[in-house]
Amino acid sequence: MSFSFSFDIQSKEGRARAGTFRTPHGDLPTPLFAPVGTQATVKSVTPAQLEELQATLVLANTYHLYLRPGDELIAQLGGLHEFMHWQRPILTDSGGFQVFSLADSRKIDQDGVTFKSHIDGSTHRITPEKSISIQENLGADIIMAFDECSPPYDLANNEAALERTHAWAVRCLQAKTRSDQALFGIIQGGIFPELRKRSAEYLNSMDFPGYAIGGLSVGETKAETLSILELVDEYLPKHKPRYLMGVGSPVDLVTGVQRGVDIFDCVLPTRLARHHVAITRAGRINIANARYACDAAPIDDTCHCYACQNFSRAYIRHLVLAKEMLGSTLLTIHNLTTLVTLMSDIRLAILQGCFEQFAADFFEHWECAS
Amino acid sequence: MSFSFSFDIQSKEGRARAGTFRTPHGDLPTPLFAPVGTQATVKSVTPAQLEELQATLVLANTYHLYLRPGDELIAQLGGLHEFMHWQRPILTDSGGFQVFSLADSRKIDQDGVTFKSHIDGSTHRITPEKSISIQENLGADIIMAFDECSPPYDLANNEAALERTHAWAVRCLQAKTRSDQALFGIIQGGIFPELRKRSAEYLNSMDFPGYAIGGLSVGETKAETLSILELVDEYLPKHKPRYLMGVGSPVDLVTGVQRGVDIFDCVLPTRLARHHVAITRAGRINIANARYACDAAPIDDTCHCYACQNFSRAYIRHLVLAKEMLGSTLLTIHNLTTLVTLMSDIRLAILQGCFEQFAADFFEHWECAS
C-alpha cells in the first residue's frame, strides 16, 4: 500500500506550531501527547476508554513486542492495529532505548547490538535492518530509526554513539520497504551543542518525513534540555514534525511546544496512576494520602474525565488502599485526560494566536509549573 | 424514605419463574445473576462497563466495607450507590459468611460474634443489630439477616447455629429502621432436610419480603444441593423472591432456576477471569494455554461482549502472559456477559413457555453442563 505522508502547519506563534500530520490511520492534530502502550496495551485502560478520552496517537515498544509475543505473530494476526484493536495512528520506537536501558549484557558493534532478553535471558541481536523488519511486521504509521542512546555527559561515548546512530539511520532508510510507514530519524548527541547541531544537520540532509529528538530527559538538567531543543530547532526543517521522545509532564509539554516540538510521549501519566498519583492543575496529588479519606470532591473539579465526573477522591483512595484495579484505571483515565486536554488547549491557543498568553497563564496557575 | 417492595411473577414453567422485583433503584427482572463487588467495586471493570454488559443487581460485602473504608464513611458520602457510582440496585450480605470464613479467632455467643480483622488483626464485634446498622449505613436496596453458616455435615453444630440464626433473624427485623431496604431472611440447616424444613417454615412465618438460601455450595455434593433446593421450594411462599447465595456456574444457574430460584450471585466469573479462565459454551478455557498463541478467533464466537467483538484469543493470551491488567478486564467482561446473557435467555424462555426445551438444549450443547 502506498501512502503520501504530509505535515501541514495551520498556525505558528513564535516557535510553536499547530499542524496536522496525515497518516494511513487518520490525521493527527499537533501538538499532541501520545500515551504509551509498551506491550500493545496502554496499561489499565481499554482502547474504548482511550478513544473516549480523545487519545489520537499511541506508542508501542519494538523491543518488548519483538520479545513477546513476537513481531511475526503480530504480522500474522494482521499487524498491531488489528492485534490491539487501535484503529487510530500508532508509533513504534526502534528498540534502541530499551536495548540500552532494559536488556542484560549488551554488546555494541558497528553492525548492531547483541543482548540478552530481560524476560528469559535468551540472546538476541538487533541491527538497523532488523529493527526496520520488526517495525514493518508491527505495521505502525510512524516508525523510528535504530539509534544508540548514551549517558548525556560522556563526550567520547556520545561522539562514537553518534557516528553509529548516523550510519544506522542511513541503513534504516535503505532497509525500509513499506511506503505506508513514515520513518523518523533520531537526533542524538547528549548535552553537547556541537554534536546536536551535527546530528540535526546530518539527518536533515537525509530528508526524513519527521525527526525525533532522543537522549533527553535521561538525567540532564531542565535548562540543558531546553537549550538543546532551541538549538535543534534552528537546524531542523520547519515543515516537518518534531517528536521529543519520552517527555511528558505538563510543564515539559508547554516548554517543549514553546521550542517547536509537535509530538510527545511518556509513561509518566500511566506510571504515576499505578503509584496512586494524580496529575492536576494543583500539582501532583497522592490519592492514598489520609487527607482524602472523607473527601467527596473529584480528583480535579475542572476535569471532564470519566473519573472526575463520577467518583470522589475518597472512593478512589479506598480503591487504592484496597488494592483494587479500578483505582489504577480511574487514575490513568484522569492523568491521560489531563495531558491530552492540555495539548488540545495548547493547539487551540496557537490557532487563535494566544499561545504565549496561554503559557503565561499556565505558569501562573498550574502548581507544578511554578 | 418509604418504599413499597413488590415481586410480580409474569410467567411460570414447572418451578421456574420469570418475575420482576421492584426496588428503589429500579425494577429487577428475574431470574438474574448478580456480579460480586466485594469492596464496592466489581474487580477489573468500571460501572460503565457493567452497565454496558447489562448487569442489573450488584452485590457488595458488609464485612469488607465495615472494616474498610467503614460504613459510616460511606453513609457520610451519600451511601454505597453514590460511593461506587452504581445507580442500579445493590444487595449487601450480612457479614455472617465472611466472619466465619475470613476473620481470625472468632468467638460466637448467643448475642453475636467477636472476631479479628483479616486486614490488621484489630478486634471487632458484629451482632444482628450491628449488621443491620452497617447495612443501613451502606444503603443497599436488598439487605440480609445476620446468620451463622456451619460446615454442612455437622448435625449438632447446624442445630445450634440454626437456633441462633433464627433468633438473630427476629432481632434483625426488630432492629431495622429504613423502609427503603428489603430485608431477606436466610435459610440455613446444612444438608439436613429436617433442619432446612424447620428453617424455611420458621422464616416464612416472619413474612420477609424475600428469602435467601445460605450454606450451600460450601462442600456438599451437587445432588445434595439440588435436593435441598427442591425441599426448600415446598416450604417457601411462592410469591416472594428466592436468592441462592454464592452459586453461579452456568449449570448451577440452570438447575437452580429449575428449582424455583430467582436470584444468584457468585465470585466465580470475576475470580476465574483473574486466573485467565474464560467461561464459554464449549466449557472453561484457560486463555494462557499455548494452543491459543496464534488463535485469531474471539474467546467465544457466539458472544456479543466487548472482548469477543474486538479482540483475539492470541491478544488476550499475550496480555495475560505479559501480566497486563487489560487481560483481566477483558476476561471479566466476557465471563460476566456470558452469565448475564444466560439469565436473560432463561427469562425469555420462561416467558415464552419453552424453558424446559431451553434447559434440554443447554445440557446438550454447553460443554460444562454435560
Side-chain angles (χ1 to χ4, degrees):
Chain A
M1 189 178 92
S2 179
F3 184 84
S4 178
F5 287 89
S6 68
F7 184 57
D8 299 314
I9 295 175
Q10 277 89 47
S11 184
K12 282 188 189 184
E13 190 181 337
R15 290 187 176 99
R17 310 112 64 81
T20 303
F21 190 61
R22 198 167 158 253
T23 86
H25 288 85
D27 288 350
L28 289 172
T30 63
L32 69 82
F33 174 80
V36 177
T38 302
Q39 303 192 105
T41 165
V42 176
K43 289 187 195 296
S44 316
V45 292
T46 64
Q49 288 164 334
L50 280 179
E51 277 173 32
E52 192 184 327
L53 65 83
Q54 315 279 336
T56 52
L57 175 69
V58 165
L59 181 143
N61 286 113
T62 288
Y63 167 86
H64 288 89
L65 295 174
Y66 157 71
L67 290 178
R68 181 175 63 193
D71 51 294
E72 287 173 10
L73 174 67
I74 291 175
Q76 189 182 323
L77 290 163
L80 200 45
H81 290 87
E82 174 74 14
F83 186 61
M84 66 187 284
H85 189 57
W86 183 251
Q87 293 310 319
R88 296 179 183 179
I90 298 175
L91 180 157
T92 47
D93 62 6
S94 68
F97 183 76
Q98 282 74 26
V99 165
F100 291 100
S101 61
L102 281 183
D104 296 325
S105 70
R106 59 190 171 276
K107 280 187 188 151
I108 311 163
D109 55 59
Q110 295 307 318
D111 190 49
V113 189
T114 302
F115 60 94
K116 289 190 173 163
S117 159
H118 74 289
I119 300 171
D120 63 6
S122 55
T123 300
H124 298 266
R125 182 166 174 78
I126 295 186
T127 60
E129 291 76 16
K130 180 67 180 175
S131 172
I132 295 300
S133 159
I134 298 169
Q135 292 186 82
E136 292 195 337
N137 275 333
L138 297 177
D141 302 87
I142 302 172
I143 66 177
M144 293 291 135
F146 192 60
D147 63 331
E148 181 176 341
C149 186
S150 303
Y153 292 107
D154 181 333
L155 178 60
N157 205 321
N158 268 284
E159 282 195 306
L162 196 62
E163 290 310 309
R164 274 191 289 267
T165 294
H166 290 172
W168 292 354
V170 175
R171 285 167 55 188
C172 284
L173 266 181
Q174 288 167 344
K176 183 175 181 303
T177 65
R178 286 179 63 160
S179 65
D180 59 345
Q181 298 183 295
L183 172 64
F184 281 27
I186 304 183
I187 290 146
Q188 289 288 357
I191 52 118
F192 304 102
E194 188 50 38
L195 296 188
R196 288 286 179 177
K197 171 174 180 287
R198 192 197 307 167
S199 189
E201 286 181 331
Y202 183 79
L203 293 172
N204 190 353
S205 75
M206 278 194 279
D207 196 25
F208 285 96
Y211 292 91
I213 304 155
L216 289 178
S217 204
V218 292
E220 80 286 0
T221 67
K222 289 281 174 194
E224 286 167 334
T225 309
L226 297 181
S227 96
I228 294 295
L229 289 181
E230 287 166 15
L231 178 123
V232 164
D233 173 64
E234 291 177 42
Y235 296 96
L236 284 180
K238 302 293 177 212
H239 61 291
K240 298 211 176 149
R242 293 94 171 267
Y243 160 36
L244 177 54
M245 306 181 85
V247 166
S249 74
V251 65
D252 289 341
L253 298 179
V254 174
T255 55
V257 171
Q258 285 179 316
R259 285 153 186 87
V261 175
D262 306 296
I263 299 173
F264 302 81
D265 83 284
C266 196
V267 295
L268 187 79
T270 43
R271 182 170 290 168
L272 285 179
R274 298 195 307 283
H275 290 87
H276 318 155
V277 176
I279 301 170
T280 77
R281 280 157 206 256
R284 293 185 190 178
I285 68 173
N286 189 323
I287 206 76
N289 195 301
R291 77 202 301 181
Y292 305 119
C294 311
D295 194 337
I299 300 170
D300 181 343
D301 60 14
T302 68
C303 179
H304 60 274
C305 81
Y306 175 68
C308 289
Q309 288 301 307
N310 298 303
F311 303 92
S312 64
R313 291 169 171 176
Y315 179 65
I316 300 173
R317 176 177 188 266
H318 161 66
L319 294 175
V320 156
L321 295 191
K323 300 191 188 343
E324 286 285 356
M325 275 192 252
L326 183 58
S328 293
T329 299
L330 294 179
L331 286 164
T332 299
I333 288 172
H334 169 75
N335 286 351
L336 288 177
T337 300
T338 299
L339 298 196
V340 166
T341 305
L342 174 61
M343 294 310 272
S344 66
D345 289 349
I346 288 174
R347 185 171 198 275
L348 189 62
I350 300 169
L351 289 173
Q352 295 174 339
C354 58
F355 174 59
E356 273 317 306
Q357 184 56 50
F358 179 94
D361 289 347
F362 171 85
F363 288 113
E364 190 178 338
H365 295 300
W366 282 58
E367 197 63 40
C368 53
S370 60
Chain B
M1 188 177 92
S2 177
F3 184 83
S4 179
F5 287 90
S6 67
F7 184 56
D8 299 314
I9 295 176
Q10 277 89 48
S11 183
K12 283 188 188 184
E13 191 181 338
R15 291 188 175 98
R17 309 109 66 79
T20 303
F21 189 60
R22 199 169 156 252
T23 86
H25 288 86
D27 289 349
L28 289 172
T30 64
L32 71 82
F33 174 81
V36 177
T38 301
Q39 305 192 104
T41 164
V42 175
K43 289 185 194 299
S44 316
V45 292
T46 65
Q49 288 165 333
L50 280 180
E51 276 173 32
E52 191 183 329
L53 65 82
Q54 315 278 335
T56 53
L57 175 69
V58 164
L59 181 142
N61 287 113
T62 288
Y63 167 87
H64 287 90
L65 295 174
Y66 157 71
L67 290 178
R68 183 175 60 194
D71 51 294
E72 287 172 10
L73 174 68
I74 291 175
Q76 190 183 322
L77 290 163
L80 200 45
H81 290 88
E82 176 72 14
F83 186 62
M84 67 187 284
H85 189 57
W86 182 251
Q87 294 310 320
R88 296 180 183 180
I90 298 176
L91 181 157
T92 47
D93 61 6
S94 68
F97 183 76
Q98 281 74 27
V99 165
F100 292 99
S101 61
L102 280 183
D104 294 326
S105 70
R106 61 189 169 275
K107 280 188 188 150
I108 311 165
D109 55 58
Q110 294 308 317
D111 189 50
V113 188
T114 302
F115 60 93
K116 290 190 172 161
S117 160
H118 75 288
I119 299 171
D120 62 7
S122 56
T123 299
H124 299 267
R125 180 165 174 79
I126 295 187
T127 60
E129 291 76 16
K130 181 67 180 173
S131 172
I132 295 300
S133 160
I134 299 169
Q135 292 185 80
E136 291 195 338
N137 275 333
L138 297 176
D141 302 271
I142 303 173
I143 65 177
M144 292 292 135
F146 191 60
D147 64 330
E148 181 176 341
C149 186
S150 304
Y153 293 106
D154 182 332
L155 178 59
N157 205 320
N158 268 284
E159 281 194 308
L162 196 62
E163 289 311 307
R164 273 191 289 269
T165 293
H166 289 173
W168 291 355
V170 175
R171 286 167 55 186
C172 284
L173 265 180
Q174 288 167 345
K176 185 175 179 302
T177 64
R178 284 178 65 160
S179 64
D180 60 344
Q181 299 184 295
L183 172 65
F184 281 26
I186 305 183
I187 290 147
Q188 290 286 357
I191 53 119
F192 305 103
E194 188 50 39
L195 297 187
R196 288 286 179 178
K197 174 174 178 287
R198 193 196 307 168
S199 188
E201 284 181 332
Y202 183 79
L203 294 171
N204 189 351
S205 74
M206 279 194 278
D207 196 26
F208 285 97
Y211 292 91
I213 305 156
L216 289 178
S217 205
V218 291
E220 80 287 1
T221 67
K222 289 280 173 194
E224 286 167 335
T225 310
L226 298 181
S227 96
I228 294 294
L229 289 181
E230 287 166 16
L231 178 124
V232 164
D233 172 63
E234 289 177 42
Y235 296 96
L236 283 179
K238 301 296 177 209
H239 61 291
K240 301 221 174 136
R242 294 93 173 267
Y243 159 36
L244 178 54
M245 306 181 83
V247 167
S249 74
V251 65
D252 290 340
L253 298 179
V254 175
T255 55
V257 171
Q258 285 179 315
R259 285 154 186 86
V261 175
D262 306 297
I263 299 172
F264 303 80
D265 83 283
C266 195
V267 296
L268 187 80
T270 43
R271 181 170 292 168
L272 285 179
R274 298 196 306 283
H275 290 86
H276 319 154
V277 176
I279 300 170
T280 77
R281 280 156 206 258
R284 293 184 190 178
I285 68 172
N286 189 322
I287 206 76
N289 195 301
R291 77 201 300 180
Y292 304 119
C294 311
D295 193 337
I299 299 169
D300 181 343
D301 59 16
T302 68
C303 179
H304 60 275
C305 81
Y306 175 68
C308 288
Q309 289 301 307
N310 298 302
F311 303 92
S312 64
R313 291 170 170 174
Y315 179 65
I316 300 173
R317 176 176 187 268
H318 162 66
L319 295 176
V320 157
L321 294 190
K323 301 195 189 339
E324 287 284 356
M325 277 192 249
L326 184 58
S328 293
T329 298
L330 294 179
L331 286 165
T332 299
I333 288 172
H334 169 75
N335 286 351
L336 288 178
T337 300
T338 299
L339 297 197
V340 166
T341 305
L342 174 60
M343 293 310 272
S344 67
D345 289 349
I346 286 174
R347 185 171 198 276
L348 190 63
I350 299 169
L351 289 173
Q352 295 176 337
C354 59
F355 174 58
E356 273 316 306
Q357 183 57 51
F358 179 94
D361 288 348
F362 171 86
F363 289 112
E364 189 179 337
H365 295 299
W366 282 58
E367 198 64 40
C368 52
S370 60

